[in-house]
Amino acid sequence: MSQVYEAIIGLEIHAQVSTKTKMFCGCSSNAYNAEPNENTCPVCMGFPGQLPVINEEAVRKGLIAAIALNCNIPEVSKFDRKNYFYPDLPKGFQISQFDKPVSEHGSLKILVNGEEKTIGITRLHLEDDAGKLSHIDRGTLCDYNRSGIGLMEIVSDPDMRSSEEAVAYAKEIQIVLRYVGSSEADMEKGMMRFDASVSLRPVGDTKLYPRAEIKNLNSFRSLESAIKYEIKRQKKLWEEGKAQSKDITVGWKDEKQETYFMREKEGADDYRYFPEPDLPPLFVKRETVEEYRGMLPELPYVRRLRYVKDYALSEGDVYLLTENRALAEYFEKTLPLTKYEPKKLASFITTVLIRFLNEDAKDIQESPVTPESLAELLNAVESGKISNNMAKGEIFEEMYLKGKSAAEIIKEKGLEQVSDTGEIEKVAVEVLAANPAIVEEYKSGKVKVFGFLVGQVMARMKGRANPGMVNDLVKKLLE
Ligand code: ZN
Ligand code: MN
């Protein structure tokens, strides 16, 4: 029988702290859309004699994220220099945190294929980013706008066993960071990236074997593909008895969907860490930690459980609604204003409203249809004034595009649903009279044509008739 292997996966996530300025200087941290080297100064360019100053807001947001990730916050932490040379690092070192990070020992719950799993978080620490190099034909271009931007590095324990778990964890980190406002975590803007450590071991073994660290993955898709590829590559090595004997660092080639060898992995010794002499230790008061803890919003995992329990929503809708805090809040604001069932409301928001917003590239906060006006529309459906299809179709479209209320549109367009038996019956009689052959077919047992007759009545009434009543009346007239 062939040996079965399991994958041991850990992630390092770098997420940009959402602050106006960089980690240790006053330069703008908006590197996206800026002209090359527009946001630089002697501090983030590493000029001699310049002194860094800790960005208080970055510390605050880092702590809030750490508390949301169940981390312990030690009273004292400190910054250290991590020394290495690279053209994107003008200081010749990165200011990071080595042995006393701002937080450690956290955890995060994820759900994979319906099963809950807790992933340990080793630490979340603060550091500054490097610049960006672009290699062109004639040489290399250096842009230092990113240089010195504040980052949170979130290191997980090696608790994941598949690429699916790694992606679920990474997505959940993104959602939590956005919930608490610590990072926009927008990968297209370079605000979040992953390094994934992967190793294999025979199932049943408890030892950890040398790993490959895949550097700088910048999408969930590449994270998933790179881990899958690495598992396959290492499995082959194990089967050939050639499993790697040292930790290595690899890169990911998206075009080829392959990892490639970069170097043997550097250890902490290689970086000659030492305490940053220009920054004092960081003291965090216990009251501050408790104050921040008290300010945390309901976190996505808790919110999901509540939605499932209280509203009996489908798992898909729960995920869609809760992955964005503002969207969940929109749902919760609308709900008490309408008699519409939670399930139907969730589906209206996740299908109709989101489709319009997506086409428009708008956030839910910018929705022209407010919770109040959406509730008014849905109440008109509940009371039988208009049909559900009309609400989802032309009425909602007008509300969204022209900012009018449901009542205005219904009145203007004469869309009010007809629930007057006499009026519907009159049209139904006309339809039956105009389709004698079809009526005969129905009477001879071809009941399928019933739908056609109902459709004709609805069409003549321009979709305004109460569908339930049309059904009843046509049936009555045929019998
Ligand atoms: Zn600067
Ligand atoms: Mn780092």
PDB file of all heavy atoms in Angstrom, residues 22 24-28 39-45 147-148, ligand 1:
ATOM      1  N   LYS A  22       2.549  57.294   6.599  1.00  0.00           N
ATOM      2  CA  LYS A  22       3.368  56.088   6.709  1.00  0.00           C
ATOM      3  C   LYS A  22       3.659  55.724   8.168  1.00  0.00           C
ATOM      4  O   LYS A  22       3.274  56.434   9.088  1.00  0.00           O
ATOM      5  CB  LYS A  22       4.674  56.287   5.924  1.00  0.00           C
ATOM      6  CG  LYS A  22       4.449  56.395   4.400  1.00  0.00           C
ATOM      7  CD  LYS A  22       5.762  56.477   3.628  1.00  0.00           C
ATOM      8  CE  LYS A  22       5.497  56.535   2.117  1.00  0.00           C
ATOM      9  NZ  LYS A  22       6.762  56.598   1.338  1.00  0.00           N
ATOM     10  N   PHE A  24       6.493  55.555   9.971  1.00  0.00           N
ATOM     11  CA  PHE A  24       7.450  56.305  10.800  1.00  0.00           C
ATOM     12  C   PHE A  24       7.739  57.721  10.279  1.00  0.00           C
ATOM     13  O   PHE A  24       8.698  58.352  10.695  1.00  0.00           O
ATOM     14  CB  PHE A  24       8.773  55.530  10.920  1.00  0.00           C
ATOM     15  CG  PHE A  24       8.598  54.159  11.524  1.00  0.00           C
ATOM     16  CD1 PHE A  24       8.776  53.012  10.755  1.00  0.00           C
ATOM     17  CD2 PHE A  24       8.231  54.015  12.859  1.00  0.00           C
ATOM     18  CE1 PHE A  24       8.613  51.751  11.302  1.00  0.00           C
ATOM     19  CE2 PHE A  24       8.053  52.755  13.417  1.00  0.00           C
ATOM     20  CZ  PHE A  24       8.239  51.619  12.641  1.00  0.00           C
ATOM     21  N   CYS A  25       6.946  58.196   9.300  1.00  0.00           N
ATOM     22  CA  CYS A  25       7.136  59.566   8.814  1.00  0.00           C
ATOM     23  C   CYS A  25       5.785  60.120   8.384  1.00  0.00           C
ATOM     24  O   CYS A  25       4.787  59.412   8.414  1.00  0.00           O
ATOM     25  CB  CYS A  25       8.138  59.618   7.656  1.00  0.00           C
ATOM     26  SG  CYS A  25       7.574  58.756   6.162  1.00  0.00           S
ATOM     27  N   GLY A  26       5.762  61.363   7.964  1.00  0.00           N
ATOM     28  CA  GLY A  26       4.488  62.004   7.652  1.00  0.00           C
ATOM     29  C   GLY A  26       4.063  61.898   6.195  1.00  0.00           C
ATOM     30  O   GLY A  26       3.082  62.507   5.781  1.00  0.00           O
ATOM     31  N   CYS A  27       4.783  61.104   5.387  1.00  0.00           N
ATOM     32  CA  CYS A  27       4.420  60.967   3.975  1.00  0.00           C
ATOM     33  C   CYS A  27       3.072  60.269   3.820  1.00  0.00           C
ATOM     34  O   CYS A  27       2.724  59.409   4.624  1.00  0.00           O
ATOM     35  CB  CYS A  27       5.461  60.136   3.235  1.00  0.00           C
ATOM     36  SG  CYS A  27       7.037  60.952   3.075  1.00  0.00           S
ATOM     37  N   SER A  28       2.367  60.629   2.754  1.00  0.00           N
ATOM     38  CA  SER A  28       1.090  59.984   2.477  1.00  0.00           C
ATOM     39  C   SER A  28       1.301  58.492   2.227  1.00  0.00           C
ATOM     40  O   SER A  28       2.262  58.090   1.565  1.00  0.00           O
ATOM     41  CB  SER A  28       0.446  60.609   1.239  1.00  0.00           C
ATOM     42  OG  SER A  28      -0.564  59.758   0.745  1.00  0.00           O
ATOM     43  N   ASN A  39       5.509  60.325  -2.875  1.00  0.00           N
ATOM     44  CA  ASN A  39       5.332  60.327  -1.417  1.00  0.00           C
ATOM     45  C   ASN A  39       6.602  59.845  -0.712  1.00  0.00           C
ATOM     46  O   ASN A  39       6.651  58.731  -0.206  1.00  0.00           O
ATOM     47  CB  ASN A  39       4.167  59.422  -1.021  1.00  0.00           C
ATOM     48  CG  ASN A  39       2.882  59.803  -1.727  1.00  0.00           C
ATOM     49  OD1 ASN A  39       2.640  60.977  -1.999  1.00  0.00           O
ATOM     50  ND2 ASN A  39       2.058  58.816  -2.047  1.00  0.00           N
ATOM     51  N   THR A  40       7.621  60.663  -0.742  1.00  0.00           N
ATOM     52  CA  THR A  40       8.880  60.256  -0.096  1.00  0.00           C
ATOM     53  C   THR A  40       9.467  61.432   0.673  1.00  0.00           C
ATOM     54  O   THR A  40       9.147  62.590   0.392  1.00  0.00           O
ATOM     55  CB  THR A  40       9.923  59.802  -1.139  1.00  0.00           C
ATOM     56  OG1 THR A  40      10.067  60.832  -2.119  1.00  0.00           O
ATOM     57  CG2 THR A  40       9.511  58.516  -1.826  1.00  0.00           C
ATOM     58  N   CYS A  41      10.297  61.103   1.648  1.00  0.00           N
ATOM     59  CA  CYS A  41      10.986  62.138   2.423  1.00  0.00           C
ATOM     60  C   CYS A  41      12.301  61.529   2.918  1.00  0.00           C
ATOM     61  O   CYS A  41      12.529  60.331   2.751  1.00  0.00           O
ATOM     62  CB  CYS A  41      10.115  62.606   3.589  1.00  0.00           C
ATOM     63  SG  CYS A  41      10.025  61.408   4.937  1.00  0.00           S
ATOM     64  N   PRO A  42      13.149  62.332   3.539  1.00  0.00           N
ATOM     65  CA  PRO A  42      14.433  61.778   3.996  1.00  0.00           C
ATOM     66  C   PRO A  42      14.278  60.576   4.936  1.00  0.00           C
ATOM     67  O   PRO A  42      15.126  59.681   4.934  1.00  0.00           O
ATOM     68  CB  PRO A  42      15.075  62.975   4.713  1.00  0.00           C
ATOM     69  CG  PRO A  42      14.534  64.169   3.983  1.00  0.00           C
ATOM     70  CD  PRO A  42      13.090  63.800   3.687  1.00  0.00           C
ATOM     71  N   VAL A  43      13.193  60.519   5.723  1.00  0.00           N
ATOM     72  CA  VAL A  43      13.043  59.392   6.656  1.00  0.00           C
ATOM     73  C   VAL A  43      12.793  58.093   5.891  1.00  0.00           C
ATOM     74  O   VAL A  43      13.515  57.101   6.060  1.00  0.00           O
ATOM     75  CB  VAL A  43      11.900  59.633   7.677  1.00  0.00           C
ATOM     76  CG1 VAL A  43      11.689  58.395   8.552  1.00  0.00           C
ATOM     77  CG2 VAL A  43      12.209  60.850   8.547  1.00  0.00           C
ATOM     78  N   CYS A  44      11.788  58.093   4.998  1.00  0.00           N
ATOM     79  CA  CYS A  44      11.456  56.832   4.335  1.00  0.00           C
ATOM     80  C   CYS A  44      12.414  56.537   3.175  1.00  0.00           C
ATOM     81  O   CYS A  44      12.355  55.464   2.574  1.00  0.00           O
ATOM     82  CB  CYS A  44       9.997  56.782   3.911  1.00  0.00           C
ATOM     83  SG  CYS A  44       9.448  58.120   2.859  1.00  0.00           S
ATOM     84  N   MET A  45      13.319  57.507   2.862  1.00  0.00           N
ATOM     85  CA  MET A  45      14.350  57.248   1.861  1.00  0.00           C
ATOM     86  C   MET A  45      15.662  56.838   2.531  1.00  0.00           C
ATOM     87  O   MET A  45      16.667  56.617   1.868  1.00  0.00           O
ATOM     88  CB  MET A  45      14.585  58.493   1.000  1.00  0.00           C
ATOM     89  CG  MET A  45      13.428  58.852   0.079  1.00  0.00           C
ATOM     90  SD  MET A  45      13.091  57.550  -1.123  1.00  0.00           S
ATOM     91  CE  MET A  45      14.548  57.650  -2.134  1.00  0.00           C
ATOM     92  N   SER A 147       7.663  52.587   0.261  1.00  0.00           N
ATOM     93  CA  SER A 147       8.713  52.502   1.274  1.00  0.00           C
ATOM     94  C   SER A 147       8.284  53.211   2.560  1.00  0.00           C
ATOM     95  O   SER A 147       7.999  54.403   2.565  1.00  0.00           O
ATOM     96  CB  SER A 147       9.986  53.148   0.720  1.00  0.00           C
ATOM     97  OG  SER A 147      10.947  53.257   1.725  1.00  0.00           O
ATOM     98  N   GLY A 148       8.200  52.451   3.643  1.00  0.00           N
ATOM     99  CA  GLY A 148       7.837  53.054   4.923  1.00  0.00           C
ATOM    100  C   GLY A 148       6.344  52.997   5.244  1.00  0.00           C
ATOM    101  O   GLY A 148       5.932  53.431   6.324  1.00  0.00           O
TER     102      GLY A 148
HETATM  103 ZN    ZN B   1       8.505  59.720   4.300  1.00  0.00          ZN
END
